[in-house]
Each structure stands twice: as C-alpha cells, then as structure tokens.
Amino acid sequence: MSATLAGVRIVVSAGPTYEDIDPARFLGNRSSGKMGFAIAAEAAARGADVVLVAGPVHLETPAGVARSNVRSAAQMHAAVLAALPCAVYIGAAAVADFTPRACSPGKIKKQPGQDTLVLELVQTRDILAEVAAHAQRPRLVVGFAAETDNVAGYARGKLERKRLDMICANRVGVAGCGFESDDNALLVIDATGERALGPAPKCELAGLLLDLIKERLA
Ligand code: C5P
C-alpha cells in the first residue's frame, strides 16, 4: 500500500538546463529528466499537489501534474522560487553550474586562422541552496548528486554545505544507471544515516524515495 501524500504540495525540478552561447548554440548536459518526471508522476498518483519545473526534455507531462517549462538555469531559478511555498522541494534537475557571461546576439563565426575560442562563463545561482535558506523554506529540501567517484563523500558534503534534509546520490558514467537510463540506484543520505535504494526502474525508485519522504513529514 503506497503512502498517501494527499494535499501535500511538492515542487520537483527535472531535466537539464541549456545555457545559450548564441542563437544557434548552447551548453547543455546529459540529464534525461526521467528521474524527476518519475518522482512527479508517483507523487501526483499518491495525491500530492505537484508542480514540475522542467528543463528542455521531450517527456510527457505526468497525469495531474502542473508543469512549468524552462530552458536556462536562470529561468529554472525564477520558476522554482515562484512555486514556493511548498512542503517539499526535490531538486532532481541537472542545473548548469556555469553560464556564458553574455549570449552573442549573432551567430559566432570562426575567423580565418582561428584555432581556439574562449568563452567566459559565470557561476549560476544555486537554486537548491537558495530554497534551503529561503524565508519560506519547505519542510523538506531534497537534493540529488550525480558523481563519478567518491559518491557518498561528495554527496554528504553537499548535504551539509547546502543545508539539505536529504540527498540522493548516484554514480554516473556506469552503464545501466544515471543519465539517460531507465534504471537507477540511489544512496539516500540524511541525518539518520544512509539507505541504498535499487538498482531498480526509476518509477519504482521514485516510490521508494517518496515512502522515505512521507516518513520524514510525519
Ligand atoms: O553541486 P551540484 O551541482 O553537484 O549539486 C547538485 C544538486 O544541486 C542537484 O539537486 C541540483 O538540482 C542542485 N543545483 C541547483 N542549482 C544549481 C546547481 C545545482 O539547484 N545552480
């Protein structure tokens, strides 16, 4: 029997962000959005009032979910903050850490003899950390950490630095897990310790994660 989340307002961010370089090009990443969409779908199926802030992905909007489409990290930041207050924020998006200082109004042309191009990038705002420090802080702020090595160590660092209640860490760069895959395995870390979830399909993991979240809300 699934834990019910009737009436609980949950904001989920999902997918990559695209940071425009010029009208034809952008900096992006390999997030498929599947994990965040699975969480939004499962939360809505359990009766939650779900807002899904989605980066540029071609995934169907889950039944009963209010979707806000964004492209850049700055747009995602604005949409997530506009969706507060909520009881739970789950930052499953792969937000760009850096964005071009300026988007060129015209297509950047290569010049004769030009071997290199230097792009100046500036740091984006950390949506998750800002939500966790916000005057309207949700009761639970949950982050994700995709790591290639030292998964638990880096994730624990992010949990503390960003003042989160829970972080879901996963290893990327291994076949059958993480970006683009339908399956995933998560190490969920909070003040009470660590729990390994999966490997399992992302929709099943979403349910297990929401069971933990429901417990923490009780
Ligand atoms: O520090 P790192 O980017 O690895 O942290 C990942 C977590 O932080 C994810 O939950 C992601 O959604 C969130 N994040 C964010 N805003 C950023 C960068 C990351 O909300 N600018």
Side-chain angles (χ1 to χ4, degrees), residues 13 91-93 95-97 124-128 143-145 158 162:
S13 68
V95 187
D97 291 326
T124 57
R125 294 169 74 166
D126 194 309
I127 303 164
L128 191 57
F144 273 72
K158 280 175 199 175
K162 302 193 189 200

Side-chain angles (χ1 to χ4, degrees), residues 13-15 73 76-77 80 89-98 123-131 142-147 154 158 161-162 164 167-168:
S13 68
M76 186 171 278
H77 176 270
V80 167
Y89 174 62
I90 305 174
V95 187
D97 291 326
F98 293 93
Q123 226 182 95
T124 57
R125 294 169 74 166
D126 194 309
I127 303 164
L128 191 57
E130 283 194 30
V131 169
V142 181
F144 273 72
E147 308 291 351
Y154 285 133
K158 280 175 199 175
R161 207 169 47 250
K162 302 193 189 200
L164 311 178
I167 193 152
C168 309

Side-chain angles (χ1 to χ4, degrees), residues 33-117:
K34 287 178 186 167
M35 191 68 235
F37 273 63
I39 293 168
E42 186 60 29
R46 294 178 183 201
D49 169 15
V50 182
V51 176
L52 174 61
V53 179
V57 292
H58 297 284
L59 293 174
E60 245 183 72
T61 307
V65 166
R67 176 173 181 171
S68 165
N69 286 322
V70 298
R71 177 175 173 86
S72 65
Q75 288 171 358
M76 186 171 278
H77 176 270
V80 167
L81 290 185
L84 298 180
C86 62
V88 182
Y89 174 62
I90 305 174
V95 187
D97 291 326
F98 293 93
T99 190
R101 181 178 289 284
C103 174
S104 167
K107 192 175 167 199
I108 298 171
K109 296 294 203 192
K110 59 180 180 237
Q111 305 300 328
Q114 181 182 13
D115 288 333
T116 59
L117 172 71

